[in-house]
Amino acid sequence: MATGFFTDTTVCIGCKACEVACKQWNQLPDDGFFFTGMSYDNTLDLGATTWRHVAFVERPVPLSGQSTGFGDFSWLLMSDVCKHCERAGCLEVCPTGAIVRTEFDSVFIQPDVCNGCGYCIPACPFGVVDRRPDDGRAWKCTLCYDRLQDGMEPACSKACPTDSIIYGDIDELRVIAAERVETLHGRGVTEAYLYGVDVANQPGTEGLNAFFLLVDEPEVYNLPPDPVVPTKKQLQSWAGVAAGTVGMLAAAVGAVLAARRSS
């Protein structure tokens, strides 16, 4: 059964319980204690030791359907994670078979097979996969594969106090997400939409097993507007190489014939 996350950013309160639960369960080291100057964000982005990241976006724009004492201002909060793409670029380029698709349809890196080549890092259109400097191997969210095998839900969604992160069957999550968008539209939040919900919504990845409800452009949340798995462009690349080769041959033959005529 395909499972994953639906993250409703409109009910995220930025508590970071998901970040803490992820680090605790997966025994990930801290990222250092420093002030980034980026609002209340002290982890900045996803990485080898940060498999959940709560983004704090401060906008000089009000959110439709809401009024605050701050005037033209609104917070956007989002807990980001590996998207476990339906077509995963990291998995397709891995030369050792370290990255596999699990029975839950998640994308899992086997640390005992990974040789640290790093091919998976540029193949991820979201910049999720990262290598640890101490061992050189690639790491990212496992969707708490060990918990799923024991019938438990992932630590992050279990810890979320507002159900901003919901774990479950992908088809059921899509129904919940569509209903939530409809509800928000009815309340005047007309900006609400789904990001990566299926192949029609995001053909470059053929849909995400961790998709989001957003209320602004993807770039505002540091998400690519039109992510594409690099291997989807292989045919175009080879066609370009073939066309270039034919053009060079034609030019060479033309030059030889022109030289013979002139002599």
Side-chain angles (χ1 to χ4, degrees):
M1 179 178 71
T3 63
F5 294 123
F6 162 50
T7 301
D8 181 354
T9 64
T10 62
V11 293
C12 178
I13 57 175
C15 66
K16 303 187 183 183
C18 53
E19 284 191 14
V20 175
C22 177
K23 280 191 174 290
Q24 285 184 332
W25 181 260
N26 295 292
Q27 299 181 22
L28 301 175
D30 66 69
D31 301 299
F33 299 97
F34 58 93
F35 182 65
T36 64
M38 299 289 289
S39 188
Y40 294 98
D41 189 346
N42 63 343
T43 48
L44 288 178
D45 54 18
L46 296 171
T49 58
T50 304
W51 298 353
R52 268 281 175 193
H53 167 242
V54 178
F56 288 73
V57 181
E58 299 175 2
R59 302 187 309 167
V61 180
L63 191 63
S64 298
Q66 292 186 355
S67 60
T68 70
F70 297 104
D72 293 340
F73 179 85
S74 59
W75 285 94
L76 297 181
L77 305 170
M78 183 191 76
S79 180
D80 198 8
V81 71
C82 170
K83 317 303 181 290
H84 297 277
C85 307
E86 190 60 33
R87 180 163 178 176
C90 58
L91 185 153
E92 293 185 357
V93 302
C94 180
T96 65
I99 304 179
V100 296
R101 179 79 60 180
T102 74
E103 63 270 36
F104 304 103
D105 210 32
S106 60
V107 179
F108 180 75
I109 301 177
Q110 304 173 88
D112 57 332
V113 182
C114 177
N115 66 358
C117 69
Y119 288 180
C120 53
I121 295 174
C124 174
F126 300 98
V128 168
V129 188
D130 190 20
R131 285 191 298 183
R132 284 187 190 169
D134 56 348
D135 65 13
R137 292 178 296 176
W139 299 88
K140 71 170 193 66
C141 163
T142 66
L143 203 73
C144 280
Y145 183 55
D146 50 351
R147 289 176 65 93
L148 298 186
Q149 287 178 309
D150 287 337
M152 297 187 291
E153 71 173 292
C156 55
S157 58
K158 180 72 175 178
C160 181
T162 63
D163 281 341
S164 173
I165 305 169
I166 303 176
Y167 168 77
D169 176 83
I170 286 293
D171 292 332
E172 293 177 2
L173 292 179
R174 287 172 178 155
V175 174
I176 294 171
E179 291 175 350
R180 177 61 178 163
V181 170
E182 188 176 342
T183 298
L184 287 171
H185 286 181
R187 294 176 180 174
V189 187
T190 54
E191 310 97 314
Y193 70 99
L194 298 178
Y195 176 87
V197 65
D198 54 29
V199 62
N201 179 270
Q202 196 172 96
T205 62
E206 301 185 4
L208 307 176
N209 283 344
F211 61 95
F212 301 83
L213 187 155
L214 307 177
V215 291
D216 204 335
E217 297 297 321
E219 299 94 320
V220 174
Y221 297 87
N222 200 28
L223 293 171
D226 185 23
V228 179
V229 175
T231 47
K232 290 201 75 168
K233 295 186 175 181
Q234 273 186 330
L235 184 61
Q236 290 176 289
S237 299
W238 283 113
V241 171
T245 303
V246 171
M248 291 177 64
L249 286 173
V253 171
V256 170
L257 292 177
R260 285 184 177 179
R261 288 175 182 170
S262 61
S263 63

